Amino acid sequence: MDHTPHPPDSPADRVDGVVWLRPEYQGRQGELVTLAAGARLVGVSAAAVSNWQNRYPEDFPGLALLTGPPHKRTKWAVAVELVAFARDQRTRERDRTGPRNPQRPGAEIAAEQTAHYEEVLRTLTEREQRQKKALARTRTARRTAEEKLARARARLTAEVDAVVRLGIPAARTTTTEKEIRP
């Protein structure tokens, strides 16, 4: 099945730099992908897709749309066809050269990053909850200590006032180091 682009038959097929090579996809542009975006989608370089198109013209998915000025066209293909071709191509390469480590598809990398950041967020949320509880305990302990300090200060003030009222000199109310030693 030959999917090489052929020029449209009439100038009416060219509208604002748009050339439909597969008119059945008009109105279904969401199913199309540029070859560069398709390369990212399947995890290869744009050059690899270009090489596939040149090396396997009979098997490469047919272009559906050309856009842009004639000297620099953007090529569009059907996304599912391009993904299927890439899958077949990788199988063909693996059979021919043995096991390889191809570039990972962008979707796989994005999925792993998403899972990683979801785990990071879960861990930080748990840590925040633990710290909130610890902060609540610390604030309770601080209030208790402030209350005890206030009572101790009140008791000290009362003792000092009592000593002053009784007229006992302050020097006699404190025990010196000499008095403690036998």
Side-chain angles (χ1 to χ4, degrees):
M1 183 162 142
D2 184 21
H3 289 294
T4 56
H6 299 289
D9 294 330
S10 68
D13 291 336
R14 298 174 192 235
V15 178
D16 297 325
V18 175
V19 179
W20 284 99
L21 302 173
R22 294 173 68 185
E24 66 269 21
Y25 283 97
Q26 281 183 328
R28 296 167 50 191
Q29 289 88 337
E31 298 176 44
L32 304 180
V33 64
T34 65
L35 294 186
R40 287 189 300 273
L41 179 68
V42 298
V44 297
S45 66
V49 172
S50 179
N51 287 339
W52 290 342
Q53 187 180 21
N54 292 330
R55 288 181 189 161
Y56 310 105
E58 65 285 345
D59 296 331
F60 193 81
L63 298 178
L65 174 65
L66 298 174
T67 59
H71 64 279
K72 187 176 180 181
R73 293 277 190 203
T74 300
K75 299 174 182 177
W76 296 77
V78 179
V80 294
E81 292 176 4
L82 186 59
V83 169
F85 178 83
R87 188 178 305 116
D88 292 344
Q89 185 62 25
R90 285 188 173 169
T91 302
R92 193 180 305 159
E93 287 175 359
R94 198 174 301 118
D95 292 344
R96 192 171 54 237
T97 62
R100 289 186 62 188
N101 293 327
Q103 288 182 340
R104 292 178 17 209
E108 181 181 322
I109 294 169
E112 287 178 7
Q113 286 176 337
T114 300
H116 168 73
Y117 288 119
E118 285 173 348
E119 178 64 20
V120 167
L121 183 60
R122 186 190 60 73
T123 301
L124 292 173
T125 302
E126 288 174 0
R127 186 181 299 166
E128 181 183 35
Q129 294 302 318
R130 285 192 309 268
Q131 289 176 349
K132 280 182 182 178
K133 290 176 183 176
L135 180 60
R137 287 191 304 269
T138 301
R139 286 180 175 160
T140 301
R142 180 181 172 195
R143 279 192 298 275
T144 302
E146 287 172 344
E147 290 167 0
K148 288 179 180 180
L149 175 62
R151 286 194 300 269
R153 283 182 176 162
R155 210 171 31 248
L156 177 61
T157 302
E159 289 289 326
V160 170
D161 289 346
V163 167
V164 169
R165 270 183 296 189
L166 293 174
I168 304 173
R172 293 180 61 210
T173 60
T174 59
T175 308
T176 63
E177 192 175 301
K178 289 179 186 176
E179 293 173 355
I180 296 174
R181 288 191 185 162

